[in-house]
Amino acid sequence: MLTTELSEAQVSALRANKDRLAKDLHHSCQWGSGIRWGDGSSDTGMQRLALSDDDKKVRDWFIETTKALGCNVTVDQMGNIFAVRPGRRKDVPATFIGSHLDTQPTGGRYDGILGVLSGIETLKAMDEMGLETEGGVGVVNWTNEEGARFPISMIASGVWAEHIPLEKAHGLKEVPTVASLPTASSAPETMKSALEKINYLGTTPCSYKETPMAAHFELHIEQGPHLVSSGQRAGVVTAVQAYRWYHVNVIGRDTHTGTTAFEHRADALYAFSRMMVRAREVASSHGCLASVGIVETKPGSVNTVPGEVSFTLDIRGPKDELVAVVEAALKKDFDAIAADEGKGIGKPCRVEWTLDFDSPLVQFHPDCIDCVQRSAEAVAADSGSSEPKSLVREMMSGAGHDSVFTSKRVPTSMIFVPCKDGLSHHPEEFCSADDCATGTSIILQAVVRYDRKRFSA
Amino acid sequence: MLTTELSEAQVSALRANKDRLAKDLHHSCQWGSGIRWGDGSSDTGMQRLALSDDDKKVRDWFIETTKALGCNVTVDQMGNIFAVRPGRRKDVPATFIGSHLDTQPTGGRYDGILGVLSGIETLKAMDEMGLETEGGVGVVNWTNEEGARFPISMIASGVWAEHIPLEKAHGLKEVPTVASLPTASSAPETMKSALEKINYLGTTPCSYKETPMAAHFELHIEQGPHLVSSGQRAGVVTAVQAYRWYHVNVIGRDTHTGTTAFEHRADALYAFSRMMVRAREVASSHGCLASVGIVETKPGSVNTVPGEVSFTLDIRGPKDELVAVVEAALKKDFDAIAADEGKGIGKPCRVEWTLDFDSPLVQFHPDCIDCVQRSAEAVAADSGSSEPKSLVREMMSGAGHDSVFTSKRVPTSMIFVPCKDGLSHHPEEFCSADDCATGTSIILQAVVRYDRKRFSA
């Protein structure tokens, strides 16, 4: 059967296999399973840093599984893996389902993993019903989406979109904060050396020109509380909020804790503390977020007032202008706080900002949004609700995803499903088997609808 | 000439050799010299962590130098080095001058080092004038006074005083914050393995019973601004302020920075920031100090709200009761701050305190204080001031020193000399050659006066 020959009702009836999906997902989590939080076999978090030995194992499994489903597999120079189930037409790019198999150091089983597994389940469901597409259907595993080991998130989709130079990505070193984890070696690896070490440095140039896509769909847990607290089943993601990442250094003066009165200190850590308190106030007043994930003190001794503090700052907001306003306000306020600390000795602290990453507001493609919207409403009808449309909401993503970069080159959109307590980047991150299947059914239909949209005209 | 045969005027005329002292001091700083801050040959800080290769080299030099001065040298099981210039009587313990040759990771050339070098200069000055003492005169280099590499300061004098068990000290591991320095190996060493590695694990039991002292005198830079800002030459230290060191853990919840509203966070680092701001307010209101030197965040990722923060807290005050009052107030306030962060999700942060070290107020011995007082006034007369006594002040030490532990077993006191800007634990820590010599002349006289006090009766 060919997608373009299906009736609308037949498309709306397409469903993923919940049990098979859950089995495959937890099977894939045997590699890199993390902190245990319950008694069940799958009650653990994940600790699968990009390009670790565990990441290699799940990658090997991904390739073996997709090849068994008849896919052609390509690995590019960033270790991105593209598995394509051929369509009837050989001269057109495939429609892709993509996400990532790497996790945070104390992450969960759904962030990224569900997206890739929904792609595999889509292929299995199509195979099972003998469904042929006009264009091919691909599944892509993007490398190091988290940015937890190599500190630029979505770096490999960024190289593919030609927004990040390959050389910069290859030269990026793993961060010291994870160097003590068993997955990292003692001397810092670069992305290139880490790719070589696990044999995933492919020969295909990493570019949308070499591995083109017709579109990119991504299923993800919401990582926030909106769907779960409203009892809704799916989010049609129309945009991704703007965000910027910085490194901020505060330079004060090392001095003895026991002999230096407060008024004689230029305590970089005390200044940092005031800055962090202030950052929440300012961001909050503009409907934005400001967060510090990493802070490092020097020289790092119990009885020495820290003379230098370096911290990461992550500012997010629903508009590019709001992020800029918060940044400007904090630059002013941090300077004032620094000037205040150390003024007693005429040697106030000072502040240095470095912008590491700038991700402006992303608007997804109307064609993809439309396919997701119709698919979500069709699947929501399973609930028996008299108002299935009410179980679906349009929303903005708070987090960045590989879809941010694919959207710069090809039509893209995303689907969100609820996760428990809105929690993610935590071992107890949880999405029920029902919600995983709902999202996967939506992505299955969306890919079919997109294929029909491309070739029915 | 024998000390007991000198006139009071002859004692008051005893002086150290300024140039020889300065030359020896900077010679010893070739091992472990640190961050450069000026053009002069000695314009660098020090980075000589306890039991590092550089510490071994300066220890070897210390032994060679004191042996050449006719000393008998003993190394105990904590690597403490006792060099004794024999006196006329062989059946009595020596009067000691002591301090330490280890430094902070970004320390200076005077903290500890001046104290040991003043001992060597005292021996040289005595030799030069053919001065014989009744009891011997010793110089001791105490191991790991700073607590910078092995995180209990004054640990080796603590074992000697039998206040810290040898097993605990031998098992102590180096802190991860200095593991990246060239002086530390990649796997953490224990004190015992580090002592063995540099061949300074002696066989003499570490105890005041095995290496007894008649008294302990210590010359040190003030590490505060009082002497320098009042233009005074020397401080007669009568006491050491009380202090306590803690580790405080704040436990919140890891969550995604982009998708978690402030009211849904239990951000352990935000709670820490409020705690640090509050600690200064509370300590200040009781005339005490509260300082944080080290802070560590987990999991340590730009886009994950830290679920766990661990920090050191150092509370000091002029009375034991005041330190206890500040501790109690902060325990209450930290609990309140923690309860506030995460209340929106019904999972507030919580706080755990561990007391690592408790050093109650120390009062030095009146006999030692008297010797120092009279010596300081005699040396201050060199200034030509009509009121030389006004150039000497009684004071309390803000910092802990090995003299805290020796004072628990033998008569002890200290001498302070001014340091530039009151700065220490910093590469630019500075004490002029004149001030170094003033302090050393005082300690030379104090040791002679103590010998006369012991044996003239």
Side-chain angles (χ1 to χ4, degrees):
Chain A
M1 202 166 18
L2 192 61
T3 50
T4 43
E5 295 164 3
L6 297 174
S7 68
E8 179 64 28
Q10 284 175 308
V11 174
S12 294
L14 294 172
R15 290 292 181 279
N17 180 322
K18 178 174 87 169
D19 294 337
R20 184 171 58 200
L21 171 65
K23 198 177 151 204
D24 282 353
L25 187 144
H26 295 301
H27 178 80
S28 78
C29 288
Q30 71 184 279
W31 299 292
S33 67
I35 295 166
R36 176 159 289 283
W37 53 265
D39 294 334
S41 63
S42 62
D43 296 350
T44 79
M46 290 296 290
Q47 179 182 335
R48 190 161 66 199
L49 292 168
L51 310 184
S52 62
D53 290 346
D54 284 319
D55 191 26
K56 175 185 168 43
K57 288 175 190 158
V58 77
R59 285 164 171 265
D60 291 350
W61 171 83
F62 174 81
I63 289 176
E64 185 189 310
T65 303
T66 51
K67 279 193 173 163
L69 290 164
C71 290
N72 300 317
V73 174
T74 306
V75 178
D76 73 12
Q77 291 176 311
M78 284 300 292
N80 296 319
I81 313 173
F82 304 86
V84 177
R85 178 182 190 262
R88 201 169 66 86
R89 309 191 190 204
K90 307 302 172 200
D91 57 339
V92 295
T95 297
F96 272 82
I97 298 168
S99 203
H100 58 95
L101 292 169
D102 71 316
T103 78
Q104 289 284 327
T106 58
R109 296 181 160 235
Y110 303 90
D111 175 351
I113 301 170
L114 173 59
V116 175
L117 272 286
S118 75
I120 292 174
E121 172 56 25
T122 293
L123 300 184
K124 288 188 175 180
M126 285 177 162
D127 248 32
E128 196 173 42
M129 71 184 82
L131 189 64
E132 193 182 8
T133 49
E134 293 280 352
V137 175
V139 184
V140 53
N141 171 43
W142 299 104
T143 298
N144 191 57
E145 191 271 350
E146 293 291 358
R149 183 175 178 193
F150 299 97
I152 298 180
S153 64
M154 298 125 55
I155 191 168
S157 51
V159 174
W160 177 88
E162 297 192 1
H163 267 249
I164 297 174
L166 179 71
E167 297 66 36
K168 180 179 178 179
H170 271 180
L172 191 66
K173 285 192 184 138
E174 63 183 343
V175 296
T177 46
V178 300
S180 60
L181 292 173
T183 46
S185 57
S186 54
E189 300 272 0
T190 62
M191 280 205 85
K192 190 175 183 189
S193 70
L195 282 163
E196 278 171 340
K197 200 165 175 179
I198 65 162
N199 208 23
Y200 270 89
L201 180 65
T203 51
T204 304
C206 179
S207 164
Y208 68 98
K209 292 167 188 157
E210 293 286 333
T211 36
M213 297 181 180
H216 184 266
F217 289 93
E218 185 170 6
L219 168 65
H220 210 280
I221 54 170
E222 182 198 341
Q223 306 182 278
H226 299 101
L227 290 171
V228 76
S229 58
S230 64
Q232 289 169 304
R233 304 293 303 276
V236 176
V237 187
T238 59
V240 179
Q241 73 179 346
Y243 66 96
R244 288 185 179 182
W245 287 1
Y246 312 84
H247 261 91
V248 183
N249 291 327
V250 184
I251 299 100
R253 194 176 72 152
D254 301 352
T255 184
H256 195 292
T257 57
T259 58
T260 317
F262 290 130
E263 61 270 27
H264 293 132
R265 297 186 181 189
D267 183 337
L269 188 61
Y270 179 75
F272 158 76
S273 293
R274 290 191 58 203
M275 289 171 192
M276 186 169 182
V277 171
R278 184 71 187 135
R280 187 183 280 197
E281 286 169 7
V282 169
S284 208
S285 72
H286 291 93
C288 292
L289 294 172
S291 313
V292 179
I294 301 173
V295 59
E296 289 168 317
T297 54
K298 285 185 188 168
S301 173
V302 179
N303 55 346
T304 301
V305 169
E308 194 174 337
V309 168
S310 169
F311 64 96
T312 61
L313 181 65
D314 170 334
I315 303 178
R316 311 207 183 206
K319 288 183 185 173
D320 295 341
E321 303 75 51
L322 286 172
V323 170
V325 164
V326 170
E327 175 190 313
L330 288 182
K331 280 185 170 164
K332 191 159 158 272
D333 290 356
F334 285 10
D335 280 345
I337 289 167
D340 200 40
E341 179 64 16
K343 70 180 176 195
I345 47 170
K347 289 178 182 170
C349 290
R350 57 195 173 79
V351 186
E352 296 167 350
W353 289 64
T354 310
L355 177 65
D356 291 333
F357 196 66
D358 183 9
S359 183
L361 184 74
V362 169
Q363 296 283 2
F364 286 141
H365 196 282
D367 288 351
C368 292
I369 294 171
D370 177 62
C371 289
V372 168
Q373 179 78 42
R374 286 193 285 140
S375 303
E377 289 171 6
V379 175
D382 290 357
S383 66
S385 162
S386 58
E387 289 278 5
K389 286 186 184 185
S390 72
L391 298 176
V392 176
R393 74 191 282 160
E394 276 199 7
M395 56 198 307
M396 180 176 267
S397 172
H401 297 284
D402 290 308
S403 289
V404 165
F405 279 119
T406 63
S407 75
K408 297 184 189 302
R409 298 298 177 188
V410 297
T412 294
S413 83
M414 295 184 71
I415 301 116
F416 277 173
V417 284
C419 58
K420 189 173 174 234
D421 296 339
L423 186 66
S424 78
H425 286 197
H426 188 285
E428 293 183 48
E429 172 185 288
F430 182 76
C431 178
S432 73
D434 279 329
D435 288 328
C436 289
T438 297
T440 303
S441 294
I442 295 170
I443 214 161
L444 161 61
Q445 287 190 20
V447 166
V448 169
R449 286 183 208 276
Y450 197 78
D451 195 58
R452 286 156 58 90
K453 204 182 271 270
R454 286 171 78 192
F455 299 104
S456 297
Chain B
M1 202 165 19
L2 192 62
T3 50
T4 44
E5 294 163 3
L6 298 174
S7 68
E8 179 64 29
Q10 283 175 309
V11 174
S12 293
L14 294 172
R15 290 294 181 277
N17 181 320
K18 178 174 86 170
D19 294 338
R20 183 171 58 201
L21 171 65
K23 197 177 152 204
D24 282 353
L25 187 143
H26 295 301
H27 177 82
S28 78
C29 288
Q30 70 185 280
W31 299 292
S33 67
I35 296 165
R36 176 159 289 283
W37 52 266
D39 294 333
S41 63
S42 63
D43 296 350
T44 78
M46 290 296 291
Q47 180 182 336
R48 189 161 67 200
L49 291 168
L51 309 183
S52 61
D53 289 346
D54 284 319
D55 191 27
K56 175 185 167 44
K57 287 175 190 158
V58 77
R59 284 164 172 265
D60 291 349
W61 171 83
F62 174 81
I63 290 176
E64 186 189 310
T65 304
T66 52
K67 279 191 174 166
L69 290 164
C71 290
N72 301 317
V73 175
T74 307
V75 177
D76 74 12
Q77 292 175 311
M78 284 301 291
N80 296 319
I81 313 174
F82 305 85
V84 177
R85 178 182 189 262
R88 202 169 66 85
R89 309 191 189 202
K90 307 304 171 198
D91 58 338
V92 295
T95 298
F96 272 81
I97 297 168
S99 202
H100 58 94
L101 292 168
D102 71 315
T103 78
Q104 290 284 326
T106 58
R109 295 181 160 235
Y110 303 91
D111 176 351
I113 301 171
L114 173 59
V116 175
L117 272 287
S118 75
I120 292 175
E121 171 55 26
T122 293
L123 300 185
K124 287 188 176 180
M126 285 178 163
D127 247 32
E128 197 172 40
M129 69 184 85
L131 189 64
E132 193 182 8
T133 50
E134 293 280 351
V137 176
V139 184
V140 52
N141 171 45
W142 299 105
T143 297
N144 191 58
E145 190 271 351
E146 293 292 358
R149 183 175 179 194
F150 298 96
I152 297 180
S153 65
M154 298 125 54
I155 191 169
S157 51
V159 174
W160 176 88
E162 297 192 1
H163 268 249
I164 298 173
L166 179 71
E167 298 64 38
K168 180 179 178 182
H170 271 179
L172 191 66
K173 284 191 184 139
E174 63 184 342
V175 297
T177 47
V178 301
S180 60
L181 291 173
T183 45
S185 58
S186 54
E189 300 272 359
T190 62
M191 279 205 86
K192 190 175 182 188
S193 71
L195 281 164
E196 278 171 340
K197 200 167 176 178
I198 65 162
N199 207 24
Y200 270 89
L201 181 64
T203 51
T204 303
C206 179
S207 164
Y208 68 98
K209 292 168 189 157
E210 293 285 333
T211 37
M213 296 182 179
H216 185 266
F217 288 93
E218 186 169 5
L219 168 64
H220 210 280
I221 54 170
E222 183 199 341
Q223 307 183 278
H226 299 100
L227 290 171
V228 76
S229 57
S230 64
Q232 289 170 304
R233 304 293 303 275
V236 176
V237 186
T238 58
V240 179
Q241 73 179 345
Y243 67 96
R244 288 185 180 180
W245 287 1
Y246 312 84
H247 261 90
V248 183
N249 291 327
V250 185
I251 299 100
R253 195 177 71 152
D254 300 352
T255 185
H256 195 292
T257 56
T259 58
T260 317
F262 290 130
E263 61 269 27
H264 293 133
R265 297 185 180 190
D267 183 338
L269 188 60
Y270 179 77
F272 158 76
S273 293
R274 290 191 58 202
M275 289 171 192
M276 187 169 182
V277 171
R278 184 71 187 133
R280 188 182 281 198
E281 286 168 6
V282 170
S284 208
S285 72
H286 291 94
C288 293
L289 294 171
S291 313
V292 179
I294 302 173
V295 58
E296 290 169 317
T297 54
K298 286 184 188 169
S301 174
V302 180
N303 55 347
T304 301
V305 170
E308 194 174 338
V309 168
S310 169
F311 65 95
T312 61
L313 181 65
D314 171 334
I315 303 178
R316 310 207 184 207
K319 287 184 186 173
D320 296 341
E321 304 74 51
L322 287 172
V323 170
V325 165
V326 170
E327 175 190 314
L330 289 182
K331 280 186 169 163
K332 192 160 159 270
D333 290 355
F334 286 9
D335 280 345
I337 288 168
D340 201 41
E341 179 64 16
K343 70 179 176 196
I345 47 170
K347 290 178 183 171
C349 289
R350 56 195 174 78
V351 186
E352 297 167 349
W353 290 64
T354 310
L355 177 65
D356 292 333
F357 196 66
D358 182 9
S359 182
L361 183 74
V362 169
Q363 296 282 4
F364 285 142
H365 196 283
D367 288 350
C368 293
I369 294 171
D370 177 64
C371 290
V372 167
Q373 179 78 41
R374 286 193 287 140
S375 303
E377 289 171 7
V379 175
D382 291 358
S383 67
S385 162
S386 58
E387 289 277 4
K389 285 187 183 184
S390 71
L391 298 176
V392 176
R393 75 192 283 162
E394 277 201 5
M395 56 198 308
M396 180 176 266
S397 172
H401 297 285
D402 290 307
S403 289
V404 166
F405 278 119
T406 64
S407 75
K408 296 184 190 301
R409 298 299 178 186
V410 297
T412 294
S413 83
M414 295 184 71
I415 301 116
F416 277 174
V417 284
C419 58
K420 189 174 173 233
D421 296 339
L423 186 66
S424 78
H425 287 197
H426 188 285
E428 294 184 47
E429 173 186 286
F430 182 76
C431 178
S432 73
D434 279 329
D435 287 329
C436 289
T438 297
T440 303
S441 295
I442 295 170
I443 215 162
L444 162 61
Q445 288 190 21
V447 166
V448 169
R449 286 183 209 276
Y450 198 78
D451 194 57
R452 287 155 58 90
K453 204 183 270 271
R454 286 170 78 192
F455 298 105
S456 300

